[in-house]
mmCIF file of all heavy atoms in Angstrom:
data_model
loop_
_atom_site.group_PDB
_atom_site.id
_atom_site.type_symbol
_atom_site.label_atom_id
_atom_site.label_comp_id
_atom_site.label_asym_id
_atom_site.label_seq_id
_atom_site.Cartn_x
_atom_site.Cartn_y
_atom_site.Cartn_z
ATOM 1 N N VAL I 6 85.835 -67.442 74.358
ATOM 2 C CA VAL I 6 85.312 -67.833 75.668
ATOM 3 C C VAL I 6 83.968 -68.543 75.571
ATOM 4 O O VAL I 6 83.538 -69.169 76.513
ATOM 5 C CB VAL I 6 85.189 -66.627 76.629
ATOM 6 C CG1 VAL I 6 86.567 -66.094 76.965
ATOM 7 C CG2 VAL I 6 84.320 -65.534 76.054
ATOM 8 N N ASN I 7 83.309 -68.445 74.446
ATOM 9 C CA ASN I 7 81.997 -69.065 74.305
ATOM 10 C C ASN I 7 81.734 -69.303 72.827
ATOM 11 O O ASN I 7 81.689 -68.369 72.049
ATOM 12 C CB ASN I 7 80.918 -68.161 74.903
ATOM 13 C CG ASN I 7 79.571 -68.831 74.963
ATOM 14 O OD1 ASN I 7 79.456 -70.035 74.756
ATOM 15 N ND2 ASN I 7 78.555 -68.058 75.245
ATOM 16 N N VAL I 16 76.042 -69.572 63.385
ATOM 17 C CA VAL I 16 77.379 -69.445 63.964
ATOM 18 C C VAL I 16 77.368 -68.316 64.984
ATOM 19 O O VAL I 16 76.913 -67.211 64.693
ATOM 20 C CB VAL I 16 78.418 -69.136 62.865
ATOM 21 C CG1 VAL I 16 79.778 -68.827 63.455
ATOM 22 C CG2 VAL I 16 78.491 -70.275 61.878
ATOM 23 N N ARG I 17 77.878 -68.623 66.185
ATOM 24 C CA ARG I 17 78.004 -67.590 67.224
ATOM 25 C C ARG I 17 79.297 -67.847 67.989
ATOM 26 O O ARG I 17 79.613 -68.990 68.283
ATOM 27 C CB ARG I 17 76.855 -67.659 68.228
ATOM 28 C CG ARG I 17 75.498 -67.427 67.647
ATOM 29 C CD ARG I 17 74.434 -67.447 68.720
ATOM 30 N NE ARG I 17 74.407 -68.766 69.363
ATOM 31 C CZ ARG I 17 74.130 -68.974 70.644
ATOM 32 N NH1 ARG I 17 73.877 -67.975 71.445
ATOM 33 N NH2 ARG I 17 74.112 -70.202 71.142
ATOM 34 N N PHE I 18 80.023 -66.797 68.295
ATOM 35 C CA PHE I 18 81.170 -66.941 69.183
ATOM 36 C C PHE I 18 81.440 -65.635 69.904
ATOM 37 O O PHE I 18 81.014 -64.564 69.481
ATOM 38 C CB PHE I 18 82.408 -67.472 68.454
ATOM 39 C CG PHE I 18 82.847 -66.699 67.242
ATOM 40 C CD1 PHE I 18 83.719 -65.644 67.351
ATOM 41 C CD2 PHE I 18 82.388 -67.060 65.979
ATOM 42 C CE1 PHE I 18 84.144 -64.951 66.223
ATOM 43 C CE2 PHE I 18 82.805 -66.381 64.848
ATOM 44 C CZ PHE I 18 83.688 -65.316 64.979
ATOM 45 N N GLU I 19 82.152 -65.752 71.015
ATOM 46 C CA GLU I 19 82.440 -64.626 71.895
ATOM 47 C C GLU I 19 83.916 -64.686 72.273
ATOM 48 O O GLU I 19 84.475 -65.770 72.422
ATOM 49 C CB GLU I 19 81.556 -64.759 73.135
ATOM 50 C CG GLU I 19 81.658 -63.632 74.112
ATOM 51 C CD GLU I 19 80.666 -63.811 75.267
ATOM 52 O OE1 GLU I 19 79.573 -64.383 75.040
ATOM 53 O OE2 GLU I 19 81.006 -63.387 76.374
ATOM 54 N N TRP I 20 84.548 -63.527 72.440
ATOM 55 C CA TRP I 20 85.957 -63.499 72.805
ATOM 56 C C TRP I 20 86.212 -62.382 73.811
ATOM 57 O O TRP I 20 85.442 -61.445 73.927
ATOM 58 C CB TRP I 20 86.850 -63.334 71.574
ATOM 59 C CG TRP I 20 86.654 -62.047 70.822
ATOM 60 C CD1 TRP I 20 87.393 -60.904 70.957
ATOM 61 C CD2 TRP I 20 85.664 -61.750 69.829
ATOM 62 N NE1 TRP I 20 86.921 -59.925 70.111
ATOM 63 C CE2 TRP I 20 85.861 -60.431 69.408
ATOM 64 C CE3 TRP I 20 84.632 -62.491 69.259
ATOM 65 C CZ2 TRP I 20 85.057 -59.823 68.447
ATOM 66 C CZ3 TRP I 20 83.841 -61.872 68.305
ATOM 67 C CH2 TRP I 20 84.052 -60.570 67.893
ATOM 68 N N THR I 21 87.319 -62.535 74.535
ATOM 69 C CA THR I 21 87.706 -61.523 75.516
ATOM 70 C C THR I 21 88.299 -60.321 74.793
ATOM 71 O O THR I 21 88.921 -60.465 73.736
ATOM 72 C CB THR I 21 88.724 -62.079 76.521
ATOM 73 O OG1 THR I 21 89.868 -62.543 75.806
ATOM 74 C CG2 THR I 21 88.128 -63.190 77.355
ATOM 75 N N THR I 22 88.087 -59.144 75.370
ATOM 76 C CA THR I 22 88.573 -57.916 74.752
ATOM 77 C C THR I 22 89.135 -56.978 75.816
ATOM 78 O O THR I 22 88.964 -57.192 77.008
ATOM 79 C CB THR I 22 87.443 -57.172 74.017
ATOM 80 O OG1 THR I 22 86.453 -56.793 74.973
ATOM 81 C CG2 THR I 22 86.812 -58.023 72.935
ATOM 82 N N VAL I 30 86.570 -59.194 62.834
ATOM 83 C CA VAL I 30 86.244 -60.589 62.540
ATOM 84 C C VAL I 30 86.394 -60.765 61.042
ATOM 85 O O VAL I 30 85.829 -59.994 60.260
ATOM 86 C CB VAL I 30 84.807 -60.942 62.975
ATOM 87 C CG1 VAL I 30 84.460 -62.373 62.577
ATOM 88 C CG2 VAL I 30 84.623 -60.742 64.466
ATOM 89 N N ALA I 45 83.127 -58.046 60.218
ATOM 90 C CA ALA I 45 82.693 -57.068 61.218
ATOM 91 C C ALA I 45 83.930 -56.412 61.814
ATOM 92 O O ALA I 45 85.007 -57.018 61.856
ATOM 93 C CB ALA I 45 81.882 -57.744 62.318
ATOM 94 N N SER I 47 84.743 -53.434 65.115
ATOM 95 C CA SER I 47 84.162 -52.552 66.118
ATOM 96 C C SER I 47 85.148 -52.330 67.257
ATOM 97 O O SER I 47 86.049 -53.145 67.476
ATOM 98 C CB SER I 47 82.870 -53.159 66.664
ATOM 99 O OG SER I 47 82.230 -52.268 67.530
ATOM 100 N N THR I 51 83.149 -53.317 76.316
ATOM 101 C CA THR I 51 83.175 -54.119 77.538
ATOM 102 C C THR I 51 84.322 -55.129 77.425
ATOM 103 O O THR I 51 85.110 -55.069 76.483
ATOM 104 C CB THR I 51 81.841 -54.875 77.730
ATOM 105 O OG1 THR I 51 81.661 -55.771 76.636
ATOM 106 C CG2 THR I 51 80.659 -53.904 77.791
ATOM 107 N N ASN I 53 84.063 -58.329 76.750
ATOM 108 C CA ASN I 53 83.751 -59.402 75.795
ATOM 109 C C ASN I 53 83.039 -58.817 74.585
ATOM 110 O O ASN I 53 82.320 -57.829 74.702
ATOM 111 C CB ASN I 53 82.827 -60.458 76.407
ATOM 112 C CG ASN I 53 83.528 -61.330 77.412
ATOM 113 O OD1 ASN I 53 84.739 -61.499 77.364
ATOM 114 N ND2 ASN I 53 82.773 -61.890 78.329
ATOM 115 N N MET I 54 83.257 -59.444 73.427
ATOM 116 C CA MET I 54 82.509 -59.095 72.216
ATOM 117 C C MET I 54 81.965 -60.377 71.626
ATOM 118 O O MET I 54 82.490 -61.459 71.876
ATOM 119 C CB MET I 54 83.401 -58.381 71.194
ATOM 120 C CG MET I 54 83.810 -56.991 71.626
ATOM 121 S SD MET I 54 84.870 -56.164 70.403
ATOM 122 C CE MET I 54 83.628 -55.588 69.245
ATOM 123 N N ARG I 55 80.923 -60.244 70.789
ATOM 124 C CA ARG I 55 80.272 -61.390 70.157
ATOM 125 C C ARG I 55 80.135 -61.155 68.661
ATOM 126 O O ARG I 55 80.017 -60.026 68.203
ATOM 127 C CB ARG I 55 78.866 -61.601 70.712
ATOM 128 C CG ARG I 55 78.840 -61.971 72.135
ATOM 129 C CD ARG I 55 77.430 -62.131 72.607
ATOM 130 N NE ARG I 55 77.424 -62.396 74.039
ATOM 131 C CZ ARG I 55 76.421 -62.147 74.825
ATOM 132 N NH1 ARG I 55 75.315 -61.629 74.343
ATOM 133 N NH2 ARG I 55 76.504 -62.428 76.103
ATOM 134 N N TYR I 56 80.092 -62.280 67.935
ATOM 135 C CA TYR I 56 79.803 -62.250 66.505
ATOM 136 C C TYR I 56 78.806 -63.359 66.233
ATOM 137 O O TYR I 56 78.904 -64.445 66.812
ATOM 138 C CB TYR I 56 81.068 -62.468 65.671
ATOM 139 C CG TYR I 56 80.782 -62.467 64.198
ATOM 140 C CD1 TYR I 56 80.560 -61.270 63.531
ATOM 141 C CD2 TYR I 56 80.679 -63.647 63.484
ATOM 142 C CE1 TYR I 56 80.258 -61.261 62.185
ATOM 143 C CE2 TYR I 56 80.378 -63.644 62.141
ATOM 144 C CZ TYR I 56 80.165 -62.451 61.491
ATOM 145 O OH TYR I 56 79.851 -62.433 60.166
ATOM 146 N N ALA I 57 77.847 -63.112 65.351
ATOM 147 C CA ALA I 57 76.837 -64.125 65.024
ATOM 148 C C ALA I 57 76.446 -64.017 63.557
ATOM 149 O O ALA I 57 76.416 -62.919 62.988
ATOM 150 C CB ALA I 57 75.609 -63.955 65.907
ATOM 151 N N GLU I 58 76.159 -65.170 62.963
ATOM 152 C CA GLU I 58 75.605 -65.250 61.617
ATOM 153 C C GLU I 58 74.392 -66.175 61.676
ATOM 154 O O GLU I 58 74.373 -67.129 62.456
ATOM 155 C CB GLU I 58 76.628 -65.794 60.620
ATOM 156 C CG GLU I 58 77.750 -64.812 60.347
ATOM 157 C CD GLU I 58 78.625 -65.221 59.189
ATOM 158 O OE1 GLU I 58 78.708 -66.417 58.860
ATOM 159 O OE2 GLU I 58 79.240 -64.327 58.598
ATOM 160 N N VAL I 69 89.621 -63.736 64.650
ATOM 161 C CA VAL I 69 89.435 -62.439 65.299
ATOM 162 C C VAL I 69 90.812 -61.855 65.491
ATOM 163 O O VAL I 69 91.728 -62.523 65.974
ATOM 164 C CB VAL I 69 88.722 -62.595 66.664
ATOM 165 C CG1 VAL I 69 88.596 -61.243 67.336
ATOM 166 C CG2 VAL I 69 87.364 -63.250 66.493
#
Side-chain angles (χ1 to χ4, degrees):
V6 294
N7 188 11
V16 173
R17 298 183 298 146
F18 55 89
E19 184 176 328
W20 63 96
T21 58
T22 63
V30 176
S47 186
T51 62
N53 287 335
M54 291 180 81
R55 295 179 184 156
Y56 179 77
E58 290 191 335
V69 178

